[in-house]
Amino acid sequence: MVGIAFTVMCLIFGTTFLAIKIGVEAGMPPFLSAGLRFIVAGALMFAWMWMKGKVNISLLWRKEMLITGAGLTFGTFATLYWAEQYVSSGVGAILSATGPLMIMLMQTALLRQKTSARMITGCLIGFAGVVLVVLPGVSIGGSPLWLWGCIAVLVGEVCYSAGAIYSKKVINQFKETNPVAINAAQMMYGGLLLSLLSAVTESWNMSALDWVPAVSSVIYLTVVGSMVGHSLFYWIMSRTNPLFPATWLYISPPIAVGLGAVVYNEHVSWITWIGVALVVTGLLAMNEKVMDWLKRGGRKSPLVQTSKPLVK
């Protein structure tokens, strides 16, 4: 079951980078677009869980929801939405693949968790792929905004990694609360922060907005990207660990790059494809259970792996 959920989540997240690009280029203010997406998605999901009697309204007043939302949603998507004004959706997806590496480094440095040589090697291979994607743009003198866009995505992944690790602590702390409800609450807080940022930094002049792609982007990202995709992320994390579900960041880049090239005519060089291949190779190298599963010919899903609590 976890294997199926992981596959669906990767496919969904692989399409969201292009959906963000379409909305931004249709004239939708980036922070406003992101804020609406997460406020609406979080509110609908939370209301549904509340009507089913699976969550108490008091969860919304817990500071843990605000902190998680600030990392997983606000920090991650404020930078990504802003960056996709200047970088392609494929580049945004590939740079996001630094997330698992940052999670591993944070767990090793801050939480004193042991990390195998194989996992370190896999992360370094994946990071080498990211370098291949960014290096050509730097060497040919990419525009300052392109470079700042790349840096913004990387900063967002630091926020994402910290939020992913902290959210595992929150899930352990609120064991009696459905992970979907926790996800909904943190999205609402992240969306609120994004909307506040939009209010003080963006103009909400909608006269030049291309309404059909802009609205379609927000609806798709709200329903499929946030309500379905992020709920699957939380569900998988509650049954594995912070690092495993985050490895969607290694699977989705090929999907995002391919979609960007076919649907949006984004330029994809052969160096970019080599970088994507290295990123996927790094994923396989750092997940020993996945490699064992492949050696057994796909029998008996290995995707559920237990882990010690991040904090005692």
Side-chain angles (χ1 to χ4, degrees):
M1 189 64 182
V2 173
I4 295 174
F6 181 75
T7 300
V8 173
M9 181 186 70
C10 288
L11 291 173
I12 289 173
F13 285 155
T15 64
T16 56
F17 293 94
L18 180 59
I20 291 171
K21 185 74 172 179
I22 291 173
V24 168
E25 293 205 343
M28 192 71 176
F31 302 143
L32 177 61
S33 177
L36 289 174
R37 166 189 175 181
F38 289 108
I39 288 177
V40 173
L44 290 175
M45 291 169 58
F46 194 91
W48 178 65
M49 297 298 293
W50 178 74
M51 288 188 293
K52 294 185 66 175
K54 293 187 176 182
V55 66
N56 194 297
I57 294 293
S58 62
L59 182 69
L60 294 176
W61 318 132
R62 297 300 300 258
K63 68 179 186 301
E64 291 87 353
M65 302 302 109
L66 171 61
I67 296 173
T68 305
L72 273 183
T73 297
F74 174 72
T76 305
F77 289 95
T79 51
L80 178 61
Y81 269 74
W82 180 86
E84 287 215 27
Q85 297 175 102
Y86 311 109
V87 303
S88 69
S89 61
V91 168
I94 299 168
L95 291 178
S96 295
T98 56
L101 171 61
M102 294 181 184
I103 289 177
M104 184 200 72
L105 293 175
M106 287 184 180
Q107 288 186 146
T108 302
L110 302 179
L111 303 178
R112 307 293 183 180
Q113 289 193 359
K114 293 183 178 179
T115 302
S116 68
R118 184 171 185 170
M119 185 171 289
I120 294 174
T121 301
C123 279
L124 291 177
I125 292 173
F127 184 72
V130 172
V131 171
L132 284 182
V133 173
V134 177
L135 190 59
V138 176
S139 62
I140 64 175
S143 71
L145 287 176
W146 185 89
L147 294 176
W148 278 114
C150 292
I151 293 171
V153 177
L154 295 176
V155 171
E157 287 311 302
V158 174
C159 298
Y160 172 87
S161 303
I165 292 174
Y166 182 77
S167 64
K168 181 63 176 181
K169 172 187 173 183
V170 173
I171 289 174
N172 290 336
Q173 181 180 346
F174 294 87
K175 290 182 179 179
E176 303 302 318
T177 304
N178 192 298
V180 174
I182 296 175
N183 181 35
Q186 72 86 12
M187 283 199 298
M188 291 170 66
Y189 273 112
L192 178 61
L193 292 173
L194 285 162
S195 298
L196 292 174
L197 178 62
S198 174
V200 299
T201 61
E202 295 177 332
S203 170
W204 291 2
N205 182 8
M206 301 298 178
S207 59
L209 191 66
D210 191 347
W211 284 94
V212 173
V215 173
S216 298
S217 170
V218 173
I219 292 175
Y220 178 82
L221 290 166
T222 299
V223 177
V224 180
S226 295
M227 297 180 69
V228 179
H230 285 265
S231 293
L232 287 174
F233 177 88
Y234 256 71
W235 185 85
I236 295 169
M237 184 186 293
S238 69
R239 284 158 176 78
T240 57
N241 57 56
L243 183 59
F244 174 71
T247 56
W248 72 264
L249 292 163
Y250 281 178
I251 297 294
S252 295
I255 300 173
V257 171
L259 279 175
V262 173
V263 178
Y264 220 59
N265 294 320
E266 293 180 344
H267 174 68
V268 183
S269 68
W270 62 271
I271 295 180
T272 299
W273 282 115
I274 292 177
V276 171
L278 285 176
V279 162
V280 175
T281 301
L283 165 69
L284 295 175
M286 67 184 288
N287 280 279
E288 297 180 20
K289 291 185 179 293
V290 174
M291 291 296 291
D292 293 339
W293 179 62
L294 291 174
K295 290 176 183 178
R296 293 196 302 269
R299 297 186 300 274
K300 208 172 181 180
S301 174
L303 296 179
V304 178
Q305 61 184 70
T306 58
S307 62
K308 297 180 181 178
L310 294 176
V311 294
K312 297 182 179 180

